[in-house]
Amino acid sequence: MTDAPSVRTAPHTVAVAVQPGNHPFEPAVACEVFGLERAELGVEWYRFLVCTEAGRVDLGCFTLESPHGLDELAAADTVIVPACQPDLGPSPALVDALQTAAARGARLLSYCSGAFALAAAGARDGHRATTHWMYASRLAAAYPAITVLPDVLYVDDGQVLTSAGTSAAIDLSLHIVRNDYGSEVANGVARRMVVPPHRDGGQSQFVAQPVPATPDTNALGPTLDWMVDHLDEPLTIEQMAAFALMSTRTFMRRFRATTGMTPQRWLALQRIAHARRLLESTDASIDLIAQAAGFGSAANLRLHFQRTVGTAPTSYRRTFRTAPALAAAAL
DNA sequence: TAATACTACCGCCACA
DNA sequence: ATTGTGGCGGTAGTAT
């Protein structure tokens, strides 16, 4: 969280390591997010490599061949390790490549049980990480030096970023795009993939029922919409509960059950997202944006912004202020 | 940066 | 008996 995000000016290389025992889905997420041509976004996109140790890998359902080897993985700017068999462990050559990449300052990502490979490479000592909830206790037991967060979608620990089960791989990947290119571009990618634009990393892996068992008569949907529509006003639990026609106690319980976080936190994330959009696409003053996003004061906006985005609002704008043409195309 | 005043949060529990 | 509700109160977190 120490470096400010920066727009990639030179081709930034993203490499995914495909190993025997991988499932196809996670490498495919990397291909989808980082590997597709994104001409419509008007930015210079990543250079994307699929790297293997032996040139060809049997993935069970099919065999994958690639000309790129682990030397290219070790030289990449961002390295992705998808889910692997925790029992097998990464090969010594892969561990070596990961260590070389880490020493060069490369960004290391894992999807699902790929966290075991990063841990084996020693990249995780003293840091926070996550993995699929099924593996969390095993990871913590095998690598006591790591603080394992068992119930989040992904963890951004600066150089090393880890994510939970399959769909969290998409969330982490979009998080990377957002850090590199800003939220307009990340939203463009999400829109084309037809996935929700942004799920925060701290969101719980255990969010309610993916599909409601019965048509949910008292769903929070309308209340969430209402909250987003009134972001610029100070909203108290009491007001939100009143809108939802519930007691405050029940409202908070239901809110956590359906979103995986507290109302306050959710509201803060929506406000930050709105502030990001305004910083990227308008020249309004920080104070005005603070008002419009419901932070009340510029000081308060800075506090929240720094904490969740890791940058000051002005430096974020300096980096991501989009060309008017792109901003106009976005809406 | 620190102190203060507020409210959000959540465990507990009686009750429907 | 089981499940959801909502008031109470202590603590944690936020705003100024």
Side-chain angles (χ1 to χ4, degrees), chain A residues 20 33 40 44 52 81 99 113 138 149 159 169 195 235 261:
Chain A
V33 174
E40 78 275 14
E44 185 168 11
T52 70
V81 183
Q99 283 168 342
S113 52
R138 281 174 68 182
L149 307 178
Q159 190 186 4
V195 296
L235 292 180
M261 63 185 92

Side-chain angles (χ1 to χ4, degrees), chain A residues 60-298:
Chain A
C61 336
F62 54 85
T63 300
L64 178 145
E65 280 185 41
S66 170
H68 305 294
L70 294 185
D71 51 333
E72 288 177 89
L73 185 86
D77 302 296
T78 297
V79 174
I80 302 175
V81 183
C84 54
Q85 309 280 0
D87 304 315
L88 295 179
S91 73
L94 177 60
V95 170
D96 206 52
L98 291 175
Q99 283 168 342
T100 304
R104 285 181 31 256
R107 203 162 43 177
L108 306 181
L109 272 66
S110 71
Y111 295 156
C112 193
S113 52
F116 284 85
L118 295 190
R124 303 298 309 121
D125 282 5
H127 292 105
R128 299 172 310 133
T130 193
T131 186
H132 192 286
W133 56 267
M134 273 172 55
Y135 301 127
S137 57
R138 281 174 68 182
L139 184 66
Y143 300 96
I146 304 170
T147 304
V148 177
L149 307 178
D151 181 32
V152 297
L153 292 179
Y154 59 83
V155 176
D156 179 346
D157 204 50
Q159 190 186 4
V160 179
L161 303 93
T162 48
S163 59
T166 44
S167 84
I170 298 174
D171 295 304
L172 175 59
S173 302
L174 291 174
H175 171 76
I176 290 289
V177 173
R178 191 169 42 249
N179 279 349
D180 290 349
Y181 292 100
S183 45
E184 292 284 354
V185 168
N187 287 347
V189 174
R191 200 178 309 129
R192 206 174 118 182
M193 289 174 68
V194 198
V195 296
H198 180 215
R199 288 201 294 170
D200 184 71
Q203 192 164 329
S204 172
Q205 290 183 35
F206 304 97
V207 173
Q209 309 288 335
V211 179
T214 60
D216 203 346
T217 47
N218 39 19
L220 284 178
T223 308
L224 299 185
D225 292 342
W226 175 80
M227 288 166 72
V228 169
D229 284 345
H230 296 79
L231 278 185
D232 57 322
E233 301 164 26
L235 292 180
T236 65
I237 291 291
E238 234 165 320
Q239 289 171 283
M240 297 182 257
F243 184 91
L245 301 173
M246 296 173 201
S247 69
T248 57
R249 187 70 188 83
T250 297
F251 177 73
M252 281 197 292
R253 243 197 306 251
R254 299 279 270 276
F255 200 96
R256 176 170 277 290
T258 57
T259 67
M261 63 185 92
T262 68
Q264 201 67 241
R265 179 76 189 135
W266 189 88
L267 201 52
L269 290 174
Q270 301 306 312
R271 286 175 164 157
I272 287 291
H274 192 220
R276 293 175 91 134
R277 284 192 293 273
L278 293 174
L279 287 166
E280 289 175 26
S281 61
T282 75
D283 288 316
S285 71
I286 300 299
D287 207 66
L288 202 67
I289 289 177
Q291 292 293 332
F295 287 105
S297 68

